[in-house]
Amino acid sequence: ETLSLGLRPEYFATKAGSVDASVTAITLTANAALTDNLSLIADLRVDSSDDLIIEESGEDSLTQFTVAAVYSF
């Protein structure tokens, strides 16, 4: 069994008219090889912005967690 970790920071900025908006995102990924053909991949992502533009929800942050099972042959 092999475990690898990854960390990916991202920064997005836009300007619409006279309004500046930005989002910072950080994603932590864990990839576990269970067998030669089967891996589990989990991602934890946190998006944050002081501009209240995330998914048009009016919130200043959004957290997502996903899990994927990958079988290769």
Side-chain angles (χ1 to χ4, degrees):
E1 182 175 316
T2 303
L3 177 68
S4 60
L5 297 174
L7 182 66
R8 184 179 69 244
E10 299 172 275
Y11 177 78
F12 305 95
T14 186
K15 182 170 184 159
S18 63
V19 178
D20 291 332
S22 64
V23 176
T24 302
I26 297 176
T27 305
L28 176 63
T29 301
N31 188 333
L34 303 179
T35 67
D36 287 341
N37 300 84
L38 181 62
S39 295
L40 286 179
I41 304 171
D43 286 333
L44 177 64
R45 180 183 174 107
V46 178
D47 297 312
S48 64
S49 175
D50 292 333
D51 301 315
L52 303 175
I53 61 169
I54 296 176
E55 298 292 321
E56 299 178 6
S57 67
E59 300 292 327
D60 62 354
S61 68
L62 178 68
T63 302
Q64 304 167 45
F65 180 72
T66 58
V67 177
V70 179
Y71 184 80
S72 60
F73 50 95

